[in-house]
Amino acid sequence: MRTQVAIIGAGPAGLLLGQLLYKAGIDNVIVERQTGDYVLGRIRAGVLEQVTMDLLKQAGVDARAKAEGLPHDGIELLFQGRRHRIDMHGLTGGKQVTVYGQTEVTRDLMAARAEAGLQTIYSASPVSLHDFDGERPRVRYEKDGATHEIECDFIAGCDGYHGVSRASVPADALHTYEKVYPFGWLGVLADVPPVSHELIYANTSRGFALCSMRSETRSRYYVQVPSDDKVENWSDEAFWNELRARLDPEARERLVTGTPLEKSIAPLRSFVAEPMRFGRLLLAGDAAHIVPPTGAKGLNLAAADVGYLSRALEIFYRGQSASALDRYSDLCLRRVWKAERFSWWFTSLMHRFPDTGEFGQKIQEAELDYLVHSHAASTSLAENYVGLPLEDF
Ligand code: APR
Ligand code: PHB
């Protein structure tokens, strides 16, 4: 089989890249190790920056996100038992975010890919990458007991943190940066009305909590738990009681509980691999970087990466030049590190660390008090939360 771009991974990055390349007339094939249902079964975050919405529109798949997504103009910070609203819309000259689950983004991208008749090879494993340091890279994979090979011009490694793409790069060609946080997020998805119409980020002496949603009838809640905690340690009642204990009186009163559709613990990590290009192999999304979910940047960074990558490949195939591809890694990493900083800062501000103690809690509360009463500080939070603009090549 031959194609112009072989994409490894059918998560948001791979699917969005495939759609953007298709719209640009660039042939592509996606190789995914799981089934489509397995990919759709992943419950992930759900806040889309305008940059991501614009890329979904460019890919021709923004209709449902626009129709069903919830536009949000602000968030609330809860500390010392009181909520303070950050008016992101007002502070950023009218920008907003859209609350729309990553699962739905993936579903929309899968549907568009199928409608366009584009090839996605599911249940392909193992997958291996070859000769991407030359001009004729190849992808090899096993499926149904047979070995298959794809000849291509470029390989897009969109296969996430645990994927084969970054692992295929010689160790001395890669520099990684990592910070593992001493806690995780115990998350619950439930068909109960959200406690508030905007997201509530809570800093409490018991630890962090987040009240989010997927729709007017489906809520997403998180509480910080120790990194070695297990989901089986948490009954539904124990979760709801702990969430209540971390809310303000009004939210506690309004909280509607129910049997979770999903309950899981996610670890928190910051990670960046540099560079994001190795000859004809280009990394995008979680394959190249991970952020703690506090700033809701994971999906948005993946979208921005593939926005840059599809543009660079379009410039290359139009015979204009390879200069955009040469700039791909630097351009992505400039934005990635700003999002890493914001996500680290927001995580550090909102969570209780083993060494936070009473003094550390007072310092966090003082910073939050300054943040919500300073126009400059609130503006900084708002412009990072709604997302920084993409740069031109
Ligand atoms: N071969 C083929 N496919 C693979 C391999 C492999 N060796 N390893 C992983 N994959 C697939 C996974 O099954 C998954 O479907 O690659 C896909 C990677 O998708 P994600 O992990 O979702 O990463 P990405 O597309 O970059 O999206 C980032 O997803 O994980 C969240 O928080 C993250 O919101 C962010 C977004
Ligand atoms: C979510 O709705 O899952 C969500 C929202 C905001 C975050 C993280 C997760 O910062």
Side-chain angles (χ1 to χ4, degrees), residues 7-16 30-35 38-40 42-46 102 106 110 121-122 124-129 141 157-165 284-291 293 296-303 305-306:
I7 301 170
I8 317 293
L15 288 166
L16 180 55
I30 296 181
V31 182
E32 163 61 49
R33 82 171 158 191
Q34 304 291 357
T35 65
Y38 184 95
V39 173
L40 272 178
R42 294 185 184 122
I43 303 294
R44 295 283 167 67
Q102 177 173 312
T106 304
M110 281 180 170
I121 300 159
Y122 288 104
S125 180
V127 174
S128 56
L129 284 61
Y141 65 91
C158 302
D159 46 348
Y161 181 71
H162 301 287
V164 66
S165 297
D286 275 18
H289 42 72
I290 297 285
V291 283
K297 291 300 170 194
L299 174 56
N300 292 298
L301 281 179
D305 287 352
V306 299

Coordinates of all heavy atoms in Angstrom, one line a residue, residues 7-16 30-35 38-40 42-46 102 106 110 121-122 124-129 141 157-165 284-291 293 296-303 305-306, ligand 1:
I7 N -0.5 7.9 9.2 CA -0.8 8.5 10.5 C -0.9 7.3 11.5 O -1.7 6.4 11.3 CB -2.1 9.3 10.5 CG1 -2.0 10.5 9.5 CG2 -2.4 9.8 12.0 CD1 -3.4 11.2 9.3
I8 N -0.1 7.4 12.6 CA -0.2 6.3 13.6 C -1.1 6.8 14.7 O -0.7 7.8 15.4 CB 1.2 6.0 14.2 CG1 2.2 5.9 13.1 CG2 1.1 4.7 15.0 CD1 2.1 4.7 12.1
G9 N -2.2 6.2 15.0 CA -3.1 6.6 16.1 C -4.4 7.2 15.6 O -4.3 8.2 14.8
A10 N -5.5 6.7 16.0 CA -6.8 7.3 15.6 C -7.5 7.9 16.8 O -8.7 7.8 17.1 CB -7.7 6.2 15.1
G11 N -6.7 8.6 17.6 CA -7.3 9.5 18.7 C -7.6 10.8 18.1 O -7.5 11.0 16.8
P12 N -7.8 11.9 18.9 CA -8.2 13.2 18.3 C -7.1 13.7 17.4 O -7.4 14.3 16.3 CB -8.3 14.0 19.6 CG -8.6 13.1 20.7 CD -7.9 11.8 20.3
A13 N -5.8 13.6 17.8 CA -4.8 14.1 16.9 C -4.7 13.5 15.6 O -4.7 14.1 14.5 CB -3.4 14.0 17.6
G14 N -4.7 12.1 15.5 CA -4.6 11.4 14.3 C -5.9 11.6 13.4 O -5.7 11.9 12.2
L15 N -7.0 11.6 14.0 CA -8.3 11.8 13.2 C -8.4 13.2 12.7 O -8.8 13.4 11.5 CB -9.5 11.5 14.1 CG -9.7 10.0 14.4 CD1 -10.7 9.8 15.5 CD2 -10.2 9.2 13.1
L16 N -8.0 14.2 13.5 CA -8.1 15.6 13.0 C -7.1 15.9 11.9 O -7.4 16.5 10.9 CB -8.0 16.6 14.2 CG -8.0 18.1 13.8 CD1 -9.3 18.4 13.1 CD2 -7.9 18.9 15.1
I30 N -4.7 6.0 8.3 CA -4.5 5.9 9.8 C -4.4 4.4 10.2 O -5.2 3.6 9.7 CB -5.7 6.5 10.5 CG1 -5.7 8.1 10.2 CG2 -5.5 6.3 12.0 CD1 -6.9 8.8 11.0
V31 N -3.4 4.1 11.0 CA -3.2 2.8 11.6 C -3.4 2.9 13.1 O -2.7 3.7 13.7 CB -1.8 2.3 11.2 CG1 -1.6 0.9 11.8 CG2 -1.5 2.3 9.7
E32 N -4.3 2.2 13.6 CA -4.7 2.3 15.0 C -4.7 0.9 15.6 O -5.2 -0.1 15.1 CB -6.1 2.9 15.1 CG -6.8 2.7 16.5 CD -6.1 3.3 17.7 OE1 -5.7 4.5 17.6 OE2 -5.9 2.6 18.7
R33 N -4.1 0.8 16.8 CA -3.9 -0.6 17.4 C -5.2 -1.1 18.0 O -5.4 -2.3 18.1 CB -2.8 -0.6 18.4 CG -3.0 -0.2 19.7 CD -1.9 -0.5 20.6 NE -1.9 0.4 21.8 CZ -0.9 0.6 22.7 NH1 0.2 -0.1 22.5 NH2 -1.0 1.4 23.7
Q34 N -6.1 -0.2 18.5 CA -7.3 -0.6 19.1 C -8.5 -0.7 18.1 O -8.3 -0.3 17.0 CB -7.7 0.4 20.3 CG -6.6 0.6 21.3 CD -6.4 -0.7 22.2 OE1 -7.1 -1.7 22.1 NE2 -5.4 -0.6 23.1
T35 N -9.7 -1.0 18.6 CA -10.9 -1.0 17.8 C -11.4 0.4 17.9 O -11.1 1.2 18.8 CB -11.9 -2.0 18.3 OG1 -12.3 -1.5 19.6 CG2 -11.4 -3.4 18.3
Y38 N -13.3 0.9 21.1 CA -12.4 1.1 22.3 C -11.9 2.6 22.4 O -12.0 3.2 23.4 CB -11.2 0.2 22.1 CG -10.2 0.2 23.3 CD1 -10.3 -0.7 24.3 CD2 -9.2 1.3 23.4 CE1 -9.4 -0.6 25.4 CE2 -8.4 1.3 24.5 CZ -8.5 0.4 25.5 OH -7.6 0.5 26.6
V39 N -11.6 3.1 21.2 CA -11.2 4.5 21.2 C -12.3 5.4 21.6 O -12.1 6.3 22.5 CB -10.7 4.9 19.7 CG1 -10.4 6.4 19.7 CG2 -9.5 4.1 19.3
L40 N -13.5 5.1 21.2 CA -14.7 6.0 21.6 C -15.0 5.8 23.1 O -15.6 6.6 23.7 CB -15.9 5.6 20.7 CG -16.1 6.3 19.4 CD1 -17.3 5.8 18.7 CD2 -16.2 7.8 19.6
R42 N -13.1 5.9 25.5 CA -12.2 6.7 26.5 C -13.0 7.9 26.9 O -13.5 8.7 26.1 CB -10.9 7.1 25.8 CG -10.0 5.9 25.4 CD -8.7 6.4 24.8 NE -7.9 5.3 24.4 CZ -7.4 5.2 23.1 NH1 -7.8 6.1 22.2 NH2 -6.7 4.1 22.8
I43 N -13.0 8.2 28.3 CA -13.6 9.4 28.8 C -12.5 10.4 29.1 O -11.6 10.1 29.9 CB -14.4 9.1 30.1 CG1 -15.5 8.0 29.8 CG2 -15.1 10.4 30.6 CD1 -16.6 8.4 28.9
R44 N -12.5 11.5 28.4 CA -11.5 12.5 28.6 C -12.1 13.9 28.8 O -13.3 14.0 29.0 CB -10.6 12.5 27.3 CG -9.8 11.2 27.1 CD -8.6 11.1 28.0 NE -8.0 9.7 28.1 CZ -7.4 9.1 27.1 NH1 -7.3 9.7 26.0 NH2 -6.9 7.9 27.3
A45 N -11.3 14.9 28.8 CA -11.7 16.2 29.1 C -12.7 16.8 28.1 O -13.0 16.1 27.1 CB -10.5 17.2 29.3
G46 N -13.1 18.0 28.3 CA -14.2 18.5 27.4 C -14.2 20.0 27.2 O -15.3 20.6 27.1
Q102 N -14.5 15.3 24.6 CA -13.5 14.8 23.6 C -14.1 13.5 22.9 O -13.8 13.3 21.7 CB -12.2 14.4 24.3 CG -11.2 13.8 23.4 CD -9.8 13.6 24.0 OE1 -9.3 14.5 24.7 NE2 -9.3 12.4 23.9
T106 N -14.2 13.0 18.9 CA -13.7 11.8 18.3 C -14.8 11.1 17.4 O -14.5 10.7 16.3 CB -13.2 10.8 19.3 OG1 -12.2 11.4 20.1 CG2 -12.6 9.5 18.7
M110 N -14.5 10.6 13.4 CA -14.6 9.2 12.9 C -15.7 9.2 11.8 O -15.5 8.6 10.7 CB -15.0 8.2 14.0 CG -13.8 7.8 14.9 SD -14.5 6.6 16.1 CE -13.0 6.0 16.8
I121 N -7.2 1.8 9.6 CA -6.9 0.3 9.8 C -6.9 0.1 11.4 O -6.0 0.6 12.0 CB -5.6 -0.1 9.2 CG1 -5.6 0.1 7.7 CG2 -5.3 -1.6 9.5 CD1 -4.3 0.2 7.0
Y122 N -8.0 -0.4 11.9 CA -8.1 -0.6 13.3 C -7.5 -2.0 13.7 O -7.3 -2.8 12.8 CB -9.6 -0.5 13.8 CG -10.1 0.9 13.8 CD1 -11.0 1.3 12.8 CD2 -9.8 1.8 14.8 CE1 -11.5 2.6 12.8 CE2 -10.3 3.1 14.9 CZ -11.1 3.5 13.8 OH -11.6 4.8 13.9
A124 N -4.7 -3.0 14.5 CA -3.4 -3.2 13.8 C -2.3 -3.3 14.9 O -2.1 -2.3 15.6 CB -3.1 -2.1 12.8
S125 N -1.8 -4.5 15.1 CA -0.7 -4.5 16.2 C 0.1 -5.8 16.0 O -0.5 -6.9 15.7 CB -1.4 -4.6 17.5 OG -0.4 -4.6 18.6
P126 N 1.4 -5.8 16.1 CA 2.2 -4.5 16.4 C 2.4 -3.7 15.2 O 2.3 -4.2 14.0 CB 3.5 -5.1 16.9 CG 3.7 -6.4 16.2 CD 2.3 -6.9 16.0
V127 N 2.7 -2.4 15.4 CA 3.0 -1.4 14.4 C 4.5 -1.1 14.5 O 5.0 -0.9 15.7 CB 2.1 -0.2 14.5 CG1 2.5 0.9 13.5 CG2 0.6 -0.5 14.4
S128 N 5.2 -1.0 13.4 CA 6.6 -0.6 13.5 C 6.9 0.5 12.4 O 6.2 0.5 11.4 CB 7.5 -1.8 13.3 OG 7.2 -2.5 12.1
L129 N 7.8 1.3 12.7 CA 8.2 2.4 11.8 C 9.6 2.2 11.2 O 10.5 1.8 12.0 CB 8.2 3.8 12.6 CG 6.8 4.4 12.9 CD1 6.0 3.5 13.8 CD2 7.1 5.8 13.6
Y141 N 2.7 -3.3 9.9 CA 1.8 -3.7 10.9 C 1.2 -5.1 10.7 O 1.2 -5.6 9.6 CB 0.6 -2.7 11.1 CG -0.3 -2.6 9.9 CD1 -1.5 -3.4 9.8 CD2 0.0 -1.8 8.8 CE1 -2.3 -3.4 8.7 CE2 -0.9 -1.8 7.6 CZ -2.0 -2.6 7.6 OH -2.8 -2.5 6.5
G157 N 3.3 10.7 13.9 CA 3.2 9.9 15.1 C 2.1 10.6 16.1 O 2.4 11.5 16.8
C158 N 0.9 10.1 15.9 CA -0.2 10.6 16.7 C -0.7 9.5 17.7 O -1.9 9.4 18.0 CB -1.3 11.1 15.8 SG -0.9 12.3 14.6
D159 N 0.2 8.7 18.2 CA -0.1 7.5 19.0 C 0.0 7.7 20.5 O 0.2 6.7 21.2 CB 0.6 6.3 18.4 CG 2.1 6.6 18.3 OD1 2.5 7.7 18.3 OD2 2.9 5.6 18.1
G160 N 0.0 8.9 21.0 CA -0.1 9.1 22.4 C 1.2 8.8 23.2 O 2.2 8.5 22.6
Y161 N 1.0 9.0 24.5 CA 2.2 8.9 25.4 C 2.9 7.6 25.3 O 4.1 7.4 25.5 CB 1.8 9.3 26.8 CG 2.8 9.2 27.8 CD1 3.8 10.2 27.9 CD2 2.9 8.2 28.8 CE1 4.8 10.2 28.8 CE2 3.9 8.2 29.7 CZ 4.9 9.2 29.8 OH 5.8 9.1 30.7
H162 N 2.0 6.5 25.2 CA 2.6 5.1 25.3 C 2.7 4.5 23.9 O 2.9 3.3 23.7 CB 1.6 4.3 26.1 CG 1.4 4.7 27.5 ND1 2.3 4.6 28.5 CD2 0.3 5.4 28.0 CE1 1.9 5.1 29.6 NE2 0.6 5.6 29.4
G163 N 2.7 5.4 22.9 CA 2.8 4.9 21.5 C 4.2 4.4 21.0 O 5.2 4.6 21.7
V164 N 4.2 3.9 19.8 CA 5.4 3.4 19.2 C 6.3 4.4 18.6 O 7.5 4.3 18.4 CB 5.1 2.2 18.2 CG1 4.3 2.8 17.0 CG2 6.3 1.5 17.8
S165 N 5.6 5.6 18.2 CA 6.4 6.5 17.4 C 7.6 7.2 18.1 O 8.7 7.1 17.7 CB 5.4 7.6 16.9 OG 4.4 7.1 16.1
A284 N 3.0 14.4 17.1 CA 1.9 15.4 17.4 C 1.0 14.9 18.6 O 0.9 13.7 18.7 CB 1.0 15.7 16.2
G285 N 0.5 15.9 19.4 CA -0.3 15.5 20.5 C 0.4 14.8 21.6 O 1.6 15.1 21.9
D286 N -0.3 13.9 22.3 CA 0.2 13.3 23.5 C 1.5 12.5 23.2 O 2.2 12.1 24.1 CB -0.8 12.3 24.1 CG -1.8 13.1 25.0 OD1 -1.8 14.3 25.0 OD2 -2.4 12.4 25.9
A287 N 1.7 12.1 21.9 CA 3.0 11.4 21.6 C 4.2 12.3 21.9 O 5.3 11.8 22.2 CB 3.0 11.1 20.1
A288 N 4.0 13.6 21.9 CA 5.1 14.5 22.1 C 5.0 15.2 23.5 O 6.0 15.7 24.0 CB 5.1 15.6 21.0
H289 N 3.8 15.3 24.1 CA 3.7 16.1 25.3 C 2.4 15.7 26.1 O 1.4 15.3 25.5 CB 3.7 17.6 25.0 CG 2.8 18.0 23.8 ND1 1.4 17.9 23.8 CD2 3.2 18.3 22.5 CE1 1.0 18.3 22.6 NE2 2.0 18.5 21.8
I290 N 2.5 15.9 27.4 CA 1.4 15.6 28.3 C 1.3 16.8 29.3 O 2.3 17.3 29.7 CB 1.7 14.3 29.1 CG1 1.8 13.1 28.2 CG2 0.6 14.1 30.2 CD1 0.5 12.6 27.6
V291 N 0.1 17.2 29.5 CA -0.1 18.3 30.6 C -1.1 17.7 31.6 O -1.9 16.9 31.3 CB -0.7 19.6 29.9 CG1 0.3 20.4 29.2 CG2 -1.9 19.2 29.0
P293 N -4.4 17.8 33.6 CA -5.7 18.3 33.0 C -6.2 19.6 33.6 O -7.2 20.1 33.1 CB -6.6 17.1 33.4 CG -6.0 16.5 34.5 CD -4.5 16.6 34.4
A296 N -7.0 22.1 31.1 CA -7.8 21.6 30.0 C -7.1 21.8 28.7 O -7.7 22.2 27.7 CB -9.2 22.2 30.0
K297 N -5.8 21.5 28.6 CA -5.0 21.9 27.4 C -4.7 20.6 26.6 O -4.2 20.8 25.4 CB -3.7 22.5 27.9 CG -3.8 23.9 28.5 CD -4.5 24.8 27.5 CE -4.9 26.1 28.1 NZ -5.8 26.9 27.2
G298 N -4.8 19.4 27.0 CA -4.4 18.2 26.3 C -4.9 18.2 24.9 O -4.2 18.2 23.9
L299 N -6.2 18.2 24.8 CA -6.8 18.0 23.4 C -6.5 19.3 22.6 O -6.2 19.2 21.4 CB -8.3 17.9 23.6 CG -9.2 17.9 22.3 CD1 -8.7 16.8 21.3 CD2 -10.7 17.7 22.7
N300 N -6.5 20.4 23.2 CA -6.3 21.7 22.5 C -4.9 21.8 22.0 O -4.6 22.3 20.9 CB -6.6 22.9 23.4 CG -8.1 23.0 23.7 OD1 -8.9 23.1 22.8 ND2 -8.5 22.8 25.0
L301 N -3.9 21.3 22.7 CA -2.5 21.2 22.2 C -2.4 20.3 21.0 O -1.7 20.5 20.0 CB -1.5 20.8 23.3 CG -1.1 21.9 24.3 CD1 -0.2 21.3 25.4 CD2 -0.5 23.1 23.6
A302 N -3.1 19.1 21.2 CA -3.0 18.1 20.1 C -3.6 18.7 18.8 O -3.0 18.6 17.7 CB -3.8 16.9 20.5
A303 N -4.7 19.5 18.9 CA -5.3 20.1 17.8 C -4.4 21.1 17.2 O -4.2 21.2 15.9 CB -6.7 20.8 18.2
D305 N -1.1 21.2 17.3 CA 0.0 20.5 16.6 C -0.4 20.1 15.2 O 0.3 20.4 14.2 CB 0.4 19.3 17.4 CG 1.1 19.5 18.7 OD1 1.5 20.7 19.0 OD2 1.3 18.5 19.5
V306 N -1.6 19.5 15.1 CA -1.9 19.0 13.8 C -2.4 20.1 12.9 O -2.3 20.0 11.6 CB -3.0 17.8 13.9 CG1 -2.4 16.6 14.6 CG2 -4.3 18.3 14.5
Ligands
APR1 N1 0.1 1.6 17.1 C1 -1.1 2.2 16.7 N2 -1.9 3.0 17.5 C2 -1.4 3.2 18.7 C3 -0.2 2.7 19.2 C4 0.5 1.9 18.4 N3 1.7 1.3 18.8 N4 -0.1 3.2 20.5 C5 -1.2 3.9 20.8 N5 -2.0 4.0 19.7 C6 -3.3 4.7 19.6 C7 -4.1 4.7 20.8 O1 -4.9 3.5 20.9 C8 -4.9 5.9 20.7 O2 -6.2 5.7 20.0 O3 -3.0 6.1 19.4 C9 -4.1 6.9 19.8 C10 -3.5 8.0 20.6 O4 -4.6 8.8 21.1 P1 -4.5 9.8 22.4 O5 -3.8 9.0 23.4 O6 -5.9 10.2 22.7 O7 -3.6 11.0 22.0 P2 -3.9 12.2 21.0 O8 -4.7 11.8 19.8 O9 -2.7 13.0 21.0 O10 -5.0 13.1 21.9 C11 -4.6 13.8 23.0 O11 -6.2 12.7 24.2 O12 -5.3 11.4 25.9 C12 -6.0 12.6 25.6 O13 -5.6 14.1 27.4 C13 -5.2 13.7 26.1 O14 -6.9 15.2 25.5 C14 -5.7 14.7 25.1 C15 -5.8 14.0 23.8

